[in-house]
Amino acid sequence: DVQLVESGGGSAQAGGSLRLSCVASGYTHNRYCMAWFRQAPSRELDGIAAIDGSGRATYVPAIEGRFIASQDNARNILWLHMSHLKPEDTGVYTCAAAPVSSGCQSYNYWGHGTQVTVS
């Protein structure tokens, strides 16, 4: 099974930057789509960035131009580079994996999440 472990969360000031990582094991990069989800306080879990099996990244408008999702296929690491942070970026960030065979729809594998707080 795929296992995912996030790290890199913490506190930052508005306008600052953080980089999250998600280390994957039991995983072959071109067989899975990867995504970052965010759950802000008192809000539902939202998908904010995704990388498909070919490595193409897509973003929700709220973070486009400020966050960059990338992956190091050799080390099976997914990154989320966050810049120009805003207080509304506060939340728990979780990475997830979906088989390409599911059309990148079935995110069956989840990390435990890492807290990001922007003030």
Side-chain angles (χ1 to χ4, degrees), residues 21-45:
S21 64
C22 171
V23 178
S25 59
Y27 159 84
T28 302
H29 67 87
N30 61 352
R31 294 184 180 178
Y32 289 90
C33 310
M34 302 296 294
W36 286 100
F37 289 77
R38 176 172 73 190
Q39 186 161 24
S42 303
R43 298 194 63 176
E44 294 183 352
L45 187 68

Side-chain angles (χ1 to χ4, degrees), residues 2-7 21-25 34-37 39 45 78 92-98 107-114:
V2 175
Q3 294 186 330
L4 305 171
V5 179
E6 304 94 338
S7 63
S21 64
C22 171
V23 178
S25 59
M34 302 296 294
W36 286 100
F37 289 77
Q39 186 161 24
L45 187 68
L78 177 71
V92 177
Y93 287 72
T94 306
C95 64
Y107 284 95
N108 297 324
Y109 304 100
W110 296 81
H112 292 293
T114 185

Side-chain angles (χ1 to χ4, degrees), residues 71-90:
Q71 57 187 19
D72 181 333
N73 295 328
R75 294 189 290 164
N76 284 347
I77 300 176
L78 177 71
W79 305 99
L80 185 67
H81 304 260
M82 307 186 295
S83 61
H84 302 289
L85 285 164
K86 303 176 181 180
E88 51 263 44
D89 294 320
T90 294

